[in-house]
Amino acid sequence: MNDTPANLLAPLQAAFEQMPALATVVCGPACEVVLANRMCREAFGQDMVGRPLSEALPKHPGLIESIQRAAASGEAESWRGVRTEARTPEGPREIFVDVRVQPLCDAEDGVWGVLVQGLDTTPETHALRALRARERELGEALAAIQAILDNSHDVICVFDGDGVIKQVNRHAETAWGYTAEALIGRNYIELVHPEDREASVRFALRARMGRPATGFVNRYRRSDGAYAPMMWSVGWSEEFQRGYGIARDMREWVAAEERLRQAQKMEAIGRLTGGLAHDFNNILTVVMSGSEAMLQGLAPEAPERELAELALNAAERGADLVERLLAFSRNRSPKSETIDCQALMENVGPLIRQAIGERVALSVQTDPRLHCRASRSQLESALLNLCINARDAMPAGGEIRITVEGVRRRDNDPDIGLQEERAYVRIAVTDTGAGMAPAVAERALEPFFTTKDGQGSGLGLSMVYGFVRQAGGDLTLETAEGRGTTVSLYLPRTRGGDAQAVEAEAEIPPDWLGQRILLVDDDELVGRQLHLQLLALGFKVTPVRDAAAALKVLAERDDIALMLTDVVMPGMDGIDLAAAARASKPDLKVMFTTAYARGEDGGRPLPADAVVLHKPYRRGRLIAALVEVLPPGGVRR
């Protein structure tokens, strides 16, 4: 830059003073300030003219370099948002300036100086900074809101006035299986089950009218084509013309409700079974005792003897059926016994063949020397259940193989925390069906889990597992898709000699002859049958139908050797009757009889020393119970 010609500065002075921006002219190698307008002098000092710009603005060496470049090249340069300090009476003040560096040329195009203009953008810069801060705050708030939305276990959607989805949270993708991109832009009604659309539109209109819109359930189509029940709460913003919906996936709730319904059904079945067992046991008691009485009165060669034996056998099978019903309803603890596995399979095999049908072949391999310890009725039910499941896995037919073998397994002993090898009987049921996917096999033992699309309760395999564990054994499941399934039951092995022996009938004590029994039973058939049995054993019998009549007899007679009472009766039951009778006659012997299963006598505990005769019973069991209460020639209880 050349020295400043005086004739060039004079015309600029008046124009400079009127410029609405900071303006100065610098010349020479030192970039000396030769001209500054009023705004510039007020901002940076009245004494800046005549001084190098580096002294006037010492914090901006980059500006000096820009001026030198412009002077050398003749090209203008611009800077935005230059931060500097202005001098004010109150002290230094931070300002922001947009700077333009413009070379000044003479008539021969030689650069004689540089015009430096500065537009004070401090208010705009502060406003922009505040705006950006608000944007950051808004972004953080939106990110926090989105994080809350995405971590919600409910589906959250934003709709416009036409029902078009504008925004969804992450759980909407999980619940419905679509990506957010696939959902946004679609009308919500497209995903609603056709049968629920009319009600869904009415619900949306209710929300848009500002009325409470909560607790509405409809079905939404998932990406896999299945429908999921959703319970909605919807609000509407008139200002933004947006609907805000929150929906809870009700699949688990529906499943829990179904489990509760199934549990209530099982409870009702249990109560019904208990009542049926009571009535049926009373009937079986009459049939059983009558058949035994006929057999005792018939000669070995009598043609009627076979009929009496058939009736007795039928009654015993009926009693076993009641036992199974009660075990199924879980109203009583299963009675464990030693089971001959070969005899078990011979008995249950025909029933299994009938249940699985002709399309499925059945083969059974059993070691004849094996015995296990379990509830016979529950084991038969478990095998039948497993074979029916296997049949259902082979709709086009196939084969079921049942293998019974002795094995040894190493099990964890929870008492000592070590492994112990034990002997088991392994009963394996193998099918050639479709097998299970890993996800299905993982849940196969869960209660109420089923893949039968509403055709099953999901209780079968879980009940089998519960029975096996209760018996002290284990269950394993081996399966693969396309390779069939093997369910193995491991039951504690025992020796055949441990089988329960048939109870021998005790001798009838001669001192029973003529003793009087007060018989209390509200059932006419059972009361009459027991009356005849007691007479046949040599007793005298005073029969009554209720507790009031029994107390009257006890008050009038002193020759009652034993009170034999039913437990459950209308009005005062047998337990209260026994307590009332012993209050006046402490030495009175009492024996109870009941057609209910153990533990089902109205939930009331019997006395600790009570002798209870459970129906149905054989004559030998009746005699054994009576001997326990009235021992011959000994101390009576």
Side-chain angles (χ1 to χ4, degrees), residues 191-254:
L191 300 175
V192 177
H193 193 286
E195 295 177 2
D196 298 343
R197 288 179 181 175
E198 182 179 349
S200 299
V201 170
R202 288 200 304 271
F203 178 74
L205 290 175
R206 180 185 181 90
R208 190 157 184 176
M209 292 168 64
R211 298 170 63 187
T214 60
F216 174 74
V217 178
N218 60 8
R219 291 165 288 177
Y220 261 61
R221 187 179 70 247
R222 292 171 42 82
S223 60
D224 58 7
Y227 283 89
M230 311 295 295
M231 184 169 69
W232 288 90
S233 295
V234 176
W236 175 259
S237 170
E238 193 65 31
E239 179 182 358
F240 299 107
Q241 292 292 295
R242 287 289 187 268
Y244 304 92
I246 300 177
R248 176 152 297 179
D249 190 335
M250 300 297 287
R251 282 176 292 178
E252 290 187 7
W253 184 86
V254 169

Side-chain angles (χ1 to χ4, degrees), residues 495-516:
R495 295 182 178 181
D498 295 337
Q500 295 173 346
V502 178
E503 185 178 28
E505 183 174 311
E507 294 291 332
I508 300 175
D511 54 355
W512 282 359
L513 186 63
Q515 292 195 59
R516 184 170 296 276

Side-chain angles (χ1 to χ4, degrees), residues 455-513:
Q455 300 301 312
S457 67
L459 289 169
L461 201 53
S462 66
M463 289 180 69
V464 173
Y465 177 70
F467 146 68
V468 173
R469 296 296 294 174
Q470 196 171 34
D474 197 8
L475 181 148
T476 62
L477 183 68
E478 301 172 46
T479 185
E481 287 186 280
R483 296 172 56 187
T485 300
T486 297
V487 180
S488 298
L489 311 183
Y490 293 89
L491 295 170
R493 184 173 178 179
T494 187
R495 295 182 178 181
D498 295 337
Q500 295 173 346
V502 178
E503 185 178 28
E505 183 174 311
E507 294 291 332
I508 300 175
D511 54 355
W512 282 359
L513 186 63

Side-chain angles (χ1 to χ4, degrees), residues 96 119 237 512 529 598 603:
F96 295 89
L119 180 62
S237 170
W512 282 359
Q529 166 265 326
R598 292 170 178 82

Side-chain angles (χ1 to χ4, degrees), residues 389-528:
N389 281 349
R391 177 204 64 188
D392 293 342
M394 302 180 291
E399 181 185 1
I400 297 175
R401 297 188 304 275
I402 301 178
T403 305
V404 184
E405 59 183 347
V407 297
R408 298 190 69 83
R409 299 183 79 212
R410 297 188 67 83
D411 294 338
N412 287 322
D413 189 325
D415 294 329
I416 58 176
L418 299 175
Q419 286 194 337
E420 181 180 353
E421 189 173 81
R422 295 189 176 100
Y424 289 92
V425 172
R426 174 179 178 259
I427 304 177
V429 179
T430 303
D431 66 62
T432 57
M436 302 181 193
V440 175
E442 253 182 45
R443 303 186 59 194
L445 298 180
E446 292 181 13
F448 302 104
F449 176 75
T450 179
T451 59
K452 295 183 180 179
D453 299 327
Q455 300 301 312
S457 67
L459 289 169
L461 201 53
S462 66
M463 289 180 69
V464 173
Y465 177 70
F467 146 68
V468 173
R469 296 296 294 174
Q470 196 171 34
D474 197 8
L475 181 148
T476 62
L477 183 68
E478 301 172 46
T479 185
E481 287 186 280
R483 296 172 56 187
T485 300
T486 297
V487 180
S488 298
L489 311 183
Y490 293 89
L491 295 170
R493 184 173 178 179
T494 187
R495 295 182 178 181
D498 295 337
Q500 295 173 346
V502 178
E503 185 178 28
E505 183 174 311
E507 294 291 332
I508 300 175
D511 54 355
W512 282 359
L513 186 63
Q515 292 195 59
R516 184 170 296 276
I517 291 180
L518 174 59
L519 175 61
V520 190
D521 201 306
D522 63 300
D523 188 292
E524 184 178 358
L525 284 177
V526 176
R528 182 59 181 162

